[in-house]
Amino acid sequence: KQEVTQIPAALSVPEGENLVLNCSFTDSAIYNLQWFRQDPGKGLTSLLLIQSSQREQTSGRLNASLDKSSGRSTLYIAASQPGDSATYLCAVKAQGGSEKLVFGKGTKLTVNP
Amino acid sequence: DTGVSQNPRHKITKRGQNVTFRCDPISEHNRLYWYRQTLGQGPEFLTYFQNEAQLEKSRLLSDRFSAERPKGSFSTLEIQRTEQGDSAMYLCASSVNRQGARGGYTFGSGTRLTVV
């Protein structure tokens, strides 16, 4: 059974700092991995999607890496801003045809002005 | 098309009542998903449709839960005889399955259910 763990559970940083969020998964037979952002009481916004054959994806100040063999992904946020404050969720989709995403519990990020 | 739309945004119901939620996906998306999220947890998969066919159901989807997607457009999720443990955010997402598509999901804002 796939399990996804995100560390840390919460993170507070001053504005301008670069930071890394971590995601690990137990079964390396994944089809893809996605990072989402969730604001309080809201739905999820897709940030980056990495296919299993890829090593990283970049969008603006965000960079996500994937090391499938070790079951790890990181989300790097450069020059953090107060508007980046949210919960960041990692989700994996398995190989084999299931459409189910398995999510971690998320990392709650607070960027202080 | 402004994204995935879910209605209502909030629903408070008494234990034992039936509730129904609606999801309107992005029009060109042929895949639709329902997830449930409780406080402090990541979303948990409930079910998935490709067009009008329900192709995958989680064991979390008990006999009291039913989902439909008539004509492959909007979807409804019904919970019968609600229990306090059903209190959660119910999230709908859609995606497109075609050659060249990235496979990413678009989520709606969710329906928050409170069972009292």
Side-chain angles (χ1 to χ4, degrees):
Chain A
K1 176 188 172 186
Q2 180 73 272
E3 293 183 359
V4 178
T5 302
Q6 291 188 246
I7 294 173
L11 181 63
S12 181
V13 300
E15 181 177 3
E17 191 161 298
N18 302 327
L19 58 101
V20 174
L21 308 181
N22 296 292
C23 171
S24 61
F25 45 95
T26 54
D27 186 346
S28 62
I30 65 169
Y31 181 79
N32 62 35
L33 182 146
Q34 292 188 65
W35 282 93
F36 294 90
R37 168 188 173 136
Q38 187 172 33
D39 293 287
K42 301 290 179 64
L44 281 65
T45 300
S46 180
L47 298 173
L48 290 164
L49 181 150
I50 311 177
Q51 302 292 354
S52 63
S53 58
Q54 297 175 319
R55 297 283 297 188
E56 66 177 337
Q57 282 286 334
T58 298
S59 177
R61 294 182 295 107
L62 305 180
N63 175 277
S65 68
L66 174 63
D67 184 343
K68 201 172 72 163
S69 60
S70 68
R72 296 180 188 276
S73 177
T74 60
L75 179 67
Y76 174 83
I77 303 177
S80 58
Q81 303 170 357
D84 295 330
S85 298
T87 295
Y88 290 80
L89 293 153
C90 164
V92 298
K93 180 178 171 182
Q95 293 177 4
S98 171
E99 285 298 311
K100 179 175 73 173
L101 292 183
V102 178
F103 283 84
K105 292 184 180 181
T107 293
K108 184 176 181 179
L109 174 65
T110 303
V111 181
N112 300 301
Chain B
D1 196 353
T2 57
V4 177
S5 176
Q6 291 189 247
N7 288 288
R9 293 296 307 278
H10 303 276
K11 179 71 177 178
I12 300 174
T13 191
K14 291 183 179 180
R15 189 175 53 187
Q17 297 293 305
N18 299 341
V19 294
T20 300
F21 310 139
R22 177 177 170 127
C23 172
D24 288 90
I26 293 174
S27 57
E28 63 265 31
H29 284 187
N30 57 347
R31 292 183 166 183
L32 186 147
Y33 315 82
W34 285 98
Y35 283 78
R36 180 175 69 186
Q37 186 178 26
T38 53
L39 200 61
Q41 303 295 314
E44 295 175 293
F45 173 79
L46 293 177
T47 190
Y48 145 66
F49 291 84
Q50 178 152 312
N51 300 313
E52 67 275 11
Q54 189 174 21
L55 297 184
E56 199 170 349
K57 287 173 62 173
S58 165
R59 283 176 293 215
L60 292 175
L61 215 64
S62 74
D63 291 345
R64 297 185 297 106
F65 288 70
S66 63
E68 295 182 342
R69 192 182 182 197
K71 302 178 183 178
S73 56
F74 71 92
S75 175
T76 58
L77 177 68
E78 180 183 17
I79 308 174
Q80 296 181 328
R81 305 181 303 282
T82 51
E83 302 172 355
Q84 287 188 320
D86 297 331
S87 296
M89 174 80 89
Y90 289 83
L91 294 163
C92 176
S94 67
S95 72
V96 61
N97 177 32
R98 66 166 186 264
Q99 190 75 14
R102 291 173 65 247
Y105 284 35
T106 302
F107 275 83
S109 297
T111 294
R112 180 167 295 285
L113 173 67
T114 302
V115 182
V116 297

